[in-house]
Each structure stands twice: as C-alpha cells, then as structure tokens.
Amino acid sequence: MSELQLFKYFSTIEDTRQSGKIAHKLFDILFLTVSAVIAGSQGWEEIEEFGHDRLGWLRKFVAFENGIPTHDTIARVISKIDMHKFQSCFSKWMKDCHQATDGQVIAIDGKRLKGSFNQSDRKDAIHMVSAFACQNGLVLGQQKTDRKSNEITAIPELLALLEIKGCLVTIDAMGCQKGIAQKILDKEADYLLALKANQSGLYTQVQSLLGPEISRQCEQGTLFQEADYQRNREEYRCCITSNDLSQLPASLAWPELKTVGVIISYRNEKDKKSKELSSRYYISSAKLLPEELASSAREHWRIENGLHWKLDVGMKEDDCRIRRDGAPEIMAGVRHIAMNQLQSEKSFKKGVRAKQMKANRNTNYLEKIMFNK
C-alpha cells in the first residue's frame, strides 16, 4: 500500500464544522489520531503529546499548518464524525485490500466497551459488533448496537457492509435467527450458527436426533475425536454431524439448512475440579463433515483471542474513558484500523503491545506499519 493510500478511503467523510473557523483539517486530525493509536496512545492528551513529539515526522505526510491541535479540539472533531460514513469507508478499505477466499471463516461477535458508559449514571456502555477474518486476523467491519436493541439488529447492518462471497460466517446463539441466516445467504455465503434454547423447537429436535447417533458412532468406532494439551489445561472433544434432516420438521423453516451437529467437550484444568461434559449444538447451510464443523467452531473463537483479548490487553480498550458524543465508536473503529495494520506487519515477531512500543520509539517502524512497507 502506497503512502497515504489507507487514508484516501476516509477522505469523503464530511467535516461539519463552519469552514471559516477551521484551524486544523479533519484529515490532519484523523491522520494524527490513527498514527498515535498505532504508537500506543490511549486518550486525547496522549494523542496531542504524540503529535508534539512527532511533529517533524507527521509533516512528511500532512501539513499541520497551525501546528498540533489541542486535545480538546481533537476530541471535539473526532466525536462529530458520522459513524455510518466512517463504517462505510472502513469496509470499502477492507474490500479493496483483503480478498476473502472460499470457505474462509468470518466470525461475527459483539464486545462491550466498558469505559464508554454515561458518566452521570454509569449506564449505557455501548456494544460494537465486529466481523473478523479468522485466517488473516483482520477486522472487516464493525457496527454499533442500538441502546434499545441488541446484536440481532446490528448484525444485518454489518453484513450489508461486507464482501463475504464464498465464506462461512459463524455467529453465536444471539445471531441464530432465520432473518440473519437469509441475509448471509443473500451475500452468497454460508452460515454456521450456534443453536440454543432460544430456538426451542429446532433445538429439541436436534438433541433427539443426535443423541442416538453419538452412541452408534461410539460403538462403531467412527466418532471424530480430538484433544488439546496446554500447560495448565487439557480439553477433549468429539463432534457429530448429520445431513439427514428428514426427522427435523422445524428445519423446514430455516433457509437452505443442510447440516446439524454437536460438539461435546470435557476439560481438565490444573488445580481445579473437572467439569461435566459440555454439549454445543450448531446448524449450517454448508454440508459439513464432523472435522469441518469442529475446525470452523474453533476458528470462531479466534475473534475472542485474536481481537477482543488483544484490544483489552494490548490497547487497554476496557480502560478507555472516552465518552464524548460519538467518540467511543469512532475510536473503536480507529483501534480496529490500528489492529489491522499491526497484525499485518510480520517482520517483528512480537505481540501488539510490543509492536506499539517499537512504533513509538522508531518512526521508520511506525511508517512500516502505517503504510505496509
């Protein structure tokens, strides 16, 4: 990606300030903010301080004719950016630079921004629903949930922004809705949805269908099994799928449903009492073998380990106290931009926080991350 090419996607965002009173261009402030967050800045004052420290470097790319804006100006300008336009620009950027491959798992899940609550009553912290390309470790898009609803309304809006043809979209039980399944199919992708009691009719029928199948495959020795061994934990899993849905009347209401399955797991953790067997049920529009379902279900959890955990531990997202107007969701999007650029940089084999610290110390490395050099 050539210098500043990333930012061309955001050049269409409207600056709503009165033109005669603009001392610092919107593009300059956005460039400063993204650069500062990549280099580890977490709040308005830190972004301003980064600007003063790196003004010479920043002026290699943008003019900053009136110097670095104050943190109050940065906060005011960022908080007034239209989130819908920002999301659209973000998704356009990812469509152009990320080519989804057939069968790639796209995990969709929500995350609460704990520090974005209303300061007067400490309520109404926002949720951001993100789409995550598990194989590449990249955020493809994000959507804020409405305070009066939940992820069910945000997921279709997010799907509308994405280019996911040929992919397998995985969502937890919150998104196990017929309308969402159809929306995924409309995007020429397949769905893999976690099934729980919120779909009681189908859930009960799937349990009844797969119960005897587990016993039969155990007796025949054909049961798909796998195990994970880590330092303090052992987990054993088996998976059963069925493509014969003739005994599932409730399946007729689900668009292009081809596979139902269950993953049964048992975990041993050091110094902890072993838990009972855990059963997780799934439905999919793709025709999946047990090993394929097990692999895709594991891939889904990469959004927790590869995105949410890194945002919290590396970028301290839950500690962020930015709450002004629309700033929390814009800054969540900025952190997603930063995360994508940091994840894409492969020469320094360290974690997100270590890369940020190196970018703060070394502007050559910061340029490498910013422009994918």
Side-chain angles (χ1 to χ4, degrees):
M1 184 180 292
S2 62
E3 293 179 359
L4 297 184
Q5 188 172 349
L6 162 62
F7 293 89
K8 78 176 184 179
Y9 294 96
F10 299 90
S11 62
T12 58
I13 296 176
E14 182 183 0
D15 192 337
T16 58
R17 295 173 292 169
Q18 296 181 25
S19 57
K21 298 181 179 181
I22 295 176
H24 303 279
K25 296 178 181 178
L26 173 61
F27 181 89
D28 294 11
I29 293 174
L30 190 57
F31 184 88
L32 166 63
T33 302
V34 173
S35 304
V37 171
I38 287 175
S41 299
Q42 296 172 5
W44 304 126
E45 292 184 5
E46 290 184 12
I47 293 172
E48 180 188 351
E49 290 167 4
F50 170 86
H52 290 303
D53 291 342
R54 298 300 186 193
L55 181 57
W57 177 81
L58 290 165
R59 279 178 167 161
K60 289 174 60 177
F61 309 102
V62 290
F64 284 101
E65 297 171 353
N66 295 308
I68 298 299
T70 66
H71 60 271
D72 283 337
T73 299
I74 297 169
R76 184 175 64 254
V77 173
I78 293 295
S79 66
K80 296 301 182 184
I81 292 176
D82 182 270
M83 184 59 190
H84 295 290
K85 185 64 176 178
F86 184 91
Q87 291 167 344
S88 177
C89 294
F90 184 100
S91 299
K92 179 65 164 62
W93 166 48
M94 291 311 300
K95 285 178 184 178
D96 288 353
C97 72
H98 169 73
Q99 184 66 45
T101 57
D102 283 354
Q104 182 175 2
V105 173
I106 307 297
I108 293 181
D109 196 19
K111 182 181 184 296
R112 182 172 179 260
L113 304 186
K114 294 181 180 178
S116 64
F117 55 77
N118 187 315
Q119 199 164 9
S120 62
D121 57 13
R122 301 183 69 85
K123 296 181 179 179
D124 294 330
I126 68 172
H127 284 67
M128 296 295 293
V129 179
S130 303
F132 187 69
C134 297
Q135 181 179 348
N136 304 87
L138 298 176
V139 183
L140 302 183
Q142 64 275 310
Q143 178 73 39
K144 175 189 171 185
T145 63
D146 189 89
R147 290 181 182 178
K148 295 181 180 179
S149 66
N150 50 37
E151 296 177 16
I152 295 174
T153 57
I155 290 172
E157 295 178 17
L158 175 58
L159 288 168
L161 298 172
L162 304 178
E163 182 59 54
I164 53 175
K165 182 179 179 180
C167 296
L168 181 65
V169 179
T170 63
I171 312 176
D172 64 17
M174 174 67 76
C176 189
Q177 307 288 330
K178 299 180 186 70
I180 290 175
Q182 185 60 59
K183 186 74 173 180
I184 294 169
L185 294 170
D186 291 343
K187 301 290 288 189
E188 298 183 66
D190 282 305
Y191 61 81
L192 175 61
L193 308 178
L195 178 64
K196 289 187 178 179
N198 62 331
Q199 299 292 340
S200 57
L202 183 60
Y203 182 73
T204 301
Q205 292 175 20
V206 170
Q207 282 184 309
S208 300
L209 173 69
L210 296 178
E213 187 67 15
I214 297 170
S215 301
R216 185 184 68 81
Q217 291 190 24
C218 284
E219 291 173 359
Q220 295 179 350
T222 59
L223 186 67
F224 173 77
Q225 302 178 67
E226 59 183 2
D228 281 340
Y229 301 98
Q230 298 184 15
R231 186 170 56 184
N232 297 317
R233 178 176 64 84
E234 299 175 346
E235 184 172 355
Y236 307 91
R237 294 183 294 271
C238 64
C239 182
I240 300 95
T241 61
S242 176
N243 307 121
D244 181 5
L245 309 184
S246 59
Q247 299 179 52
L248 302 177
S251 68
L252 297 174
W254 287 84
E256 298 188 33
L257 179 57
K258 296 183 178 68
T259 301
V260 297
V262 61
I263 296 174
I264 303 169
S265 60
Y266 180 81
R267 176 181 294 187
N268 275 328
E269 295 187 49
K270 186 178 180 180
D271 300 326
K272 289 186 179 181
K273 186 178 179 180
S274 299
K275 296 184 177 180
E276 296 179 355
L277 290 174
S278 172
S279 298
R280 302 189 301 276
Y281 293 88
Y282 297 88
I283 61 174
S284 179
S285 61
K287 197 169 185 178
L288 300 175
L289 297 171
E291 52 267 37
E292 293 172 326
L293 174 57
S295 174
S296 299
R298 286 198 310 275
E299 287 281 291
H300 176 81
W301 292 108
R302 288 197 183 189
I303 195 171
E304 292 291 343
N305 301 325
L307 179 61
H308 296 166
W309 187 85
K310 290 180 179 180
L311 286 171
D312 286 341
V313 175
M315 295 190 174
K316 308 294 182 184
E317 183 170 74
D318 278 350
D319 296 333
C320 181
R321 295 295 181 262
I322 289 175
R323 307 184 182 101
R324 182 171 183 167
D325 298 329
E329 51 264 44
I330 295 295
M331 287 304 293
V334 169
R335 284 189 289 269
H336 285 163
I337 292 173
M339 183 65 72
N340 282 356
Q341 297 304 100
L342 288 161
Q343 299 269 61
S344 297
E345 204 298 292
K346 304 296 185 182
S347 67
F348 186 50
K349 308 295 185 181
K350 297 290 184 178
V352 166
R353 188 58 182 165
K355 287 182 177 181
Q356 287 183 298
M357 293 175 68
K358 183 173 182 177
N360 199 319
R361 297 189 303 266
N362 186 332
T363 55
N364 289 331
Y365 185 65
L366 176 56
E367 282 187 38
K368 191 172 187 178
I369 294 173
M370 289 279 289
F371 309 121
N372 285 350
K373 289 186 173 180

